[in-house]
């Protein structure tokens, strides 16, 4: 029934990214993952900055068992939107599906940092460093970010103590 309603909507409504997203979701829910992926990909050509589509496309790739494509897409989008928490969460899922622990925990840490939970972010980055499946460059990036988050956490704690005693 959703497909029928969607076809009717597309006949009367002007093109819109929300309709594209709904169409992709209807296709995903009906098990037509390849069609959903194609729909999201085509919609991204027309609406490259619509974040809902940017999130939906790699999620469809993950459901279709294509985590390497999902992580590659998420990484490319993170070049455009480096502070985007939901993209980091999607990347973490994609890397988890590939068994790439350092990348999984690094992106999950970035997601928690985006949410403002520095303790969980630091925990994830510590797990990333211990993962043992990274090259020197990847490890260096994580260690640098871990130092920055620890410093930020220490500053927040110092400010918090300063307020409570002052």
């Amino acid at each position: 029934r959703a497909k029928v309603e969607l076809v009717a909507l597309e006949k009367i409504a002007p093109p819109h990214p929300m309709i594209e997203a709904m169409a992709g979701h209807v296709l995903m829910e009906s098990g037509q993952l390849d069609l959903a992926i194609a729909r999201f990909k085509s919609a991204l050509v027309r609406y490259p900055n619509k974040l809902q589509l940017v999130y939906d496309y790699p999620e469809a790739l993950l459901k279709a068992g294509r985590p390497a494509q999902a992580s590659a897409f998420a990484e490319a989008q993170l070049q455009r939107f480096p502070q985007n928490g939901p993209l980091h969460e999607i990347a973490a899922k994609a890397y988890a599906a590939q068994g790439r622990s350092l990348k999984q925990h690094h992106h999950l840490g970035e997601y928690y940092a985006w949410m403002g939970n520095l303790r969980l972010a630091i925990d994830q980055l510590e797990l990333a460093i211990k993962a043992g499946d990274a090259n020197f460059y990847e490890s260096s990036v994580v260690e640098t970010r871990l130092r920055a988050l620890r410093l930020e956490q220490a500053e927040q704690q110092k400010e918090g103590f300063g307020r409570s005693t002052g």
Side-chain angles (χ1 to χ4, degrees):
R1 176 156 185 240
K3 287 182 187 178
V4 172
E5 293 296 327
L6 189 61
V7 169
L9 176 63
E10 288 179 313
K11 286 181 182 175
I12 61 170
H16 195 277
M18 185 178 69
I19 294 171
E20 296 295 330
M22 284 190 315
H25 281 276
V26 167
L27 291 167
M28 271 199 307
E29 295 306 315
S30 68
Q32 296 176 296
L33 295 175
D34 289 338
L35 289 175
I37 289 166
R39 185 74 184 242
F40 288 132
K41 188 174 185 175
S42 141
L44 280 165
V45 171
R46 287 180 299 221
Y47 310 105
N49 296 319
K50 292 298 175 186
L51 288 177
Q52 186 60 53
L53 296 170
V54 169
Y55 304 149
D56 289 341
Y57 178 62
E59 290 286 359
L61 289 168
L62 284 170
K63 282 188 178 186
R66 293 156 60 179
Q69 284 180 277
S71 61
F73 179 81
E75 291 285 3
Q77 296 307 305
L78 283 163
Q79 295 298 311
R80 298 173 58 213
F81 309 108
Q83 302 302 316
N84 188 293
L87 272 175
H88 281 291
E89 185 181 33
I90 291 166
K93 285 188 224 173
Y95 285 119
Q98 297 172 71
R100 295 184 62 190
S101 295
L102 177 130
K103 297 288 247 173
Q104 171 194 354
H105 292 295
H106 179 202
H107 284 289
L108 204 50
E110 293 296 347
Y111 172 70
Y112 287 131
W114 174 79
M115 289 181 54
N117 191 331
L118 294 182
R119 181 69 248 149
L120 285 179
I122 289 167
D123 289 347
Q124 287 299 315
L125 293 181
E126 288 172 345
L127 288 171
I129 288 172
K130 294 175 186 170
D133 65 347
N135 61 40
F136 176 76
Y137 173 76
E138 291 171 334
S139 295
S140 296
V141 168
V142 172
E143 287 170 2
T144 300
R145 182 66 170 133
L146 181 57
R147 279 193 297 275
L149 288 177
R150 284 178 174 153
L151 181 62
E152 185 177 341
Q153 184 183 44
E155 288 172 3
Q156 283 182 1
Q157 288 174 343
K158 189 164 53 172
E159 289 173 9
F161 291 131
R163 271 187 255 126
S164 63
T165 59

